[in-house]
Amino acid sequence: MSVQGSLDQQWARVRGRLKDEVGETAYRSWLKPLTVADFEGGQVRIVVPTRFMRDWIRTHYADRIKALWSGENPGVQSVEIVVAAPSRVAEPVGAPAIVANDSPPPRHEPEPEPLPVSHHGGSEDRADELTAPLDPRFTFENFVVGKPNELAFAAARRVADASSVTFNPLFLYGGVGLGKTHLMHAIAWHIRKKDPPRRVIYLSAEKFMYQFIRALRFKDTMAFKEQFRSVDVLMIDDVQFISGKDSTQEEFFHTFNALVDQNRQVIISADKSPSDLEGMEERLRSRLGWGLVADIHPTTYELRLGILQQKADRIGAKIPPKVLEFLAHKITSNVRELEGALNRIVAHAELVGRAITLESAQDVLHDLLRASNRRVTIEEIQKKVAEHFNIRLADMSSARRARAVARPRQVAMYLAKQLTQRSLPEIGRKFGDRDHTTVMHAVRKVEELCGSDPAFAEDVELLRRMLEG
Ligand code: ADP
Ligand code: MG
């Protein structure tokens, strides 16, 4: 009895692990009905109600059960699946919802590859299991629109409002923390509210990959594809993570094509434009760029300030405009950090029960500000920028005004302003004794160009990252 007792406990743990791996629905259909009969001579015998289930479990889950079980108990050398009674036609116990393709009707003889069952309710389960939770704050209402993100915002709105497919795919791209995920969630919220029957799936490319690899392991790629069949809108976030993984890429490509062919809306995000996605197959790259490609540019001061104001209003915090301006000025890397800084200031003020001032803000963010001015020197900036644009370092301080050297010089001034603590006059001095108004002009010019010229914005962003990293 005690052996059986501990056997049952082991089985409970194995089942728990399996459930985590295969998900609730597959678990309910396939694994829950299993019972453990006995353990003898290193072999565990598991009983299933039907022959069909026996075969299915053998091909799909037995190896995994064995592996998990020997992890629990090294004495377990094999797992045998047996049918309880003479094979009667019976519904698997505890599997009321026959789900898409990983549970074909048990009445049929087993087939090498199971046939998909078009059972809408069923695949809904699967889909809802697949989709990642949505952040309630990530709505269109909470998204502040400015020059750098107006195209992406307009495209997202359009897709969310349209009842038929507009641009397919919509490809959103931009640096870290600039609002890609926010916009995707906003689309999903909007559709859910406006048109609940439309099926929206949002998931990260990592999760997509994970699901697919799991399907491969359980030899269940048909079920994997089936999950996406009844989807109206599919969003995959951060597809740069798919690059390099050959089979996943292939699968992604097929899923993608199938959905686009069926006129389903696909929305993709990445940190680069389709053509710049390295490690991605050419045909996939070009396919991704077929619809509308909308980029989100690095934030401008105005946008940062707008976001801070909105956020402060939303949390009902009284923050002097000076403090918001200071933050918008100092924290330029991305919106996520900007929000983080604001939260910290507010939390601190509440904690110590004092009003927020410029001094307290500087104090609280002391480490963060130092990190964002991470020891980068103006000399380093000049050197990197000169290399990048292929001009002589001496031209950073020379009097030459040709565009080919003047523009890189402006970029270097801009970066010096962003990445160091130096004042405008100090920066000016380092650039061949130029006036502080020249530096100010350079900063404005570069911000303006970042807003109007995506390639230029990318250059600047790239340089910034190189210098910061
Ligand atoms: P990404 O997916 O591009 O890395 P996120 O969408 O996760 O970035 O955005 C990071 C954070 O910044 C989120 O909290 C998001 O709400 C916020 N954010 C980004 N852009 C905006 C914006 N324009 N207005 C309001 N919040 C924004
Ligand atoms: Mg994101």
Side-chain angles (χ1 to χ4, degrees):
M1 207 59 222
S2 76
V3 172
Q4 181 67 44
S6 73
L7 202 61
D8 284 343
Q9 282 161 14
Q10 288 167 19
W11 175 225
R13 283 193 293 270
V14 170
R15 290 214 296 195
R17 301 276 296 278
L18 280 168
K19 188 167 160 185
D20 288 344
E21 288 184 13
V22 305
E24 178 69 36
T25 314
Y27 173 80
R28 238 191 298 131
S29 312
W30 292 109
L31 300 163
K32 204 156 167 245
L34 308 190
T35 50
V36 174
D38 50 30
F39 174 54
E40 245 187 74
Q43 186 182 65
V44 171
R45 285 200 314 151
I46 292 179
V47 180
V48 299
T50 65
R51 252 183 60 210
F52 176 76
M53 270 192 85
R54 179 197 65 193
D55 296 334
W56 186 263
I57 303 284
R58 271 190 189 155
T59 39
H60 291 83
Y61 300 109
D63 286 351
R64 196 59 198 143
I65 294 175
K66 146 105 195 345
L68 287 172
W69 212 317
S70 15
E72 283 292 329
N73 175 355
V76 171
Q77 281 144 24
S78 64
V79 168
E80 183 52 21
I81 315 288
V82 295
V83 183
S87 178
R88 286 179 295 112
V89 172
E91 294 290 340
V93 187
I98 298 293
V99 169
N101 164 58
D102 74 346
S103 35
R107 278 179 188 80
H108 293 188
E109 276 307 317
E111 303 195 24
E113 273 285 32
L115 281 176
V117 178
S118 286
H119 186 303
H120 192 76
S123 30
E124 206 162 283
D125 281 353
R126 288 302 294 254
D128 294 344
E129 199 177 294
L130 202 65
T131 191
L134 300 175
D135 192 317
R137 294 165 309 166
F138 291 2
T139 60
F140 283 130
E141 292 72 41
N142 287 344
F143 192 83
V144 180
V145 188
K147 257 239 154 331
N149 58 27
E150 64 184 1
L151 175 64
F153 177 80
R157 281 263 17 162
R158 174 73 72 80
V159 166
D161 275 325
S163 43
S164 61
V165 169
T166 42
F167 349 90
N168 217 2
L170 168 60
F171 190 102
L172 298 170
Y173 79 93
V176 178
L178 296 182
K180 302 181 293 295
T181 299
H182 188 135
L183 282 178
M184 288 178 124
H185 285 206
I187 295 173
W189 283 125
H190 191 82
I191 296 175
R192 275 197 189 172
K193 200 161 85 200
K194 195 193 66 159
D195 197 0
R198 282 189 93 195
R199 303 272 320 289
V200 182
I201 284 193
Y202 163 87
L203 79 170
S204 66
E206 262 174 318
K207 178 129 191 246
F208 181 90
M209 243 165 61
Y210 169 78
Q211 297 279 348
F212 175 64
I213 290 165
R214 199 180 68 186
L216 278 182
R217 192 162 79 218
F218 289 109
K219 303 187 180 59
D220 209 6
T221 52
M222 281 284 284
F224 177 79
K225 287 187 194 118
E226 189 57 20
Q227 298 175 329
F228 295 99
R229 254 169 77 116
S230 57
V231 169
D232 295 302
V233 181
L234 174 66
M235 298 194 245
I236 300 202
D237 206 351
D238 288 322
V239 292
Q240 70 273 9
F241 286 123
I242 290 183
S243 64
K245 323 263 177 192
D246 276 353
S247 55
T248 330
Q249 236 182 77
E250 185 78 7
E251 196 43 54
F252 176 65
F253 188 65
H254 289 314
T255 307
F256 176 82
N257 275 335
L259 288 170
V260 171
D261 286 348
Q262 292 161 30
N263 216 23
R264 310 298 168 85
Q265 180 72 56
V266 179
I267 303 160
I268 306 284
S269 89
D271 65 351
K272 300 185 196 64
S273 74
S275 54
D276 288 337
L277 282 171
E278 287 153 25
M280 181 94 37
E281 248 189 273
E282 177 50 36
R283 61 179 180 145
L284 180 51
R285 268 193 276 167
S286 78
R287 191 76 166 81
L288 288 174
W290 275 16
L292 180 74
V293 176
D295 53 347
I296 307 185
H297 299 216
T299 55
T300 55
Y301 172 78
E302 282 72 29
L303 179 59
R304 289 195 293 274
L305 192 60
I307 291 172
L308 285 169
Q309 275 158 350
Q310 183 227 239
K311 172 102 182 167
D313 283 352
R314 213 169 67 220
I315 59 182
K318 280 202 201 62
I319 306 174
K322 273 254 162 307
V323 173
L324 296 182
E325 284 160 23
F326 170 74
L327 289 179
H329 208 73
K330 285 292 177 191
I331 300 180
T332 55
S333 45
N334 69 55
V335 181
R336 194 172 295 130
E337 290 196 355
L338 201 61
E339 288 184 339
L342 186 67
N343 287 338
R344 250 165 80 177
I345 295 177
V346 173
H348 177 85
E350 272 169 17
L351 218 58
V352 300
R354 257 181 270 138
I356 296 166
T357 63
L358 191 55
E359 289 68 38
S360 74
Q362 277 170 321
D363 228 33
V364 173
L365 299 177
H366 171 248
D367 55 329
L368 204 137
L369 293 171
R370 211 183 39 214
S372 78
N373 306 313
R374 199 183 298 139
R375 297 177 308 282
V376 183
T377 63
I378 294 183
E379 287 74 17
E380 276 169 319
I381 294 173
Q382 291 177 328
K383 190 159 161 282
K384 265 276 178 303
V385 174
E387 272 167 21
H388 183 81
F389 290 101
N390 217 0
I391 63 169
R392 294 181 307 138
L393 181 57
D395 277 332
M396 283 292 161
S397 351
S398 77
R400 289 182 61 201
R401 286 158 156 266
R403 166 82 60 86
V405 297
R407 189 70 84 224
R409 192 188 294 132
Q410 286 177 325
V411 170
M413 288 181 191
Y414 167 84
L415 289 170
K417 181 74 201 120
Q418 302 273 318
L419 303 178
T420 74
Q421 297 271 38
R422 305 273 162 255
S423 65
L424 294 175
E426 280 174 298
I427 295 172
R429 274 199 291 282
K430 299 259 186 190
F431 285 83
D433 254 339
R434 286 179 156 81
D435 191 69
H436 77 277
T437 54
T438 309
V439 182
M440 214 154 74
H441 173 74
V443 171
R444 286 220 193 94
K445 186 74 202 169
V446 171
E447 279 187 349
E448 189 186 303
L449 284 171
C450 282
S452 62
D453 180 351
F456 181 81
E458 258 177 51
D459 262 359
V460 175
E461 187 55 26
L462 183 79
L463 278 164
R464 180 213 299 282
R465 276 192 230 167
M466 284 193 314
L467 287 160
E468 278 177 337

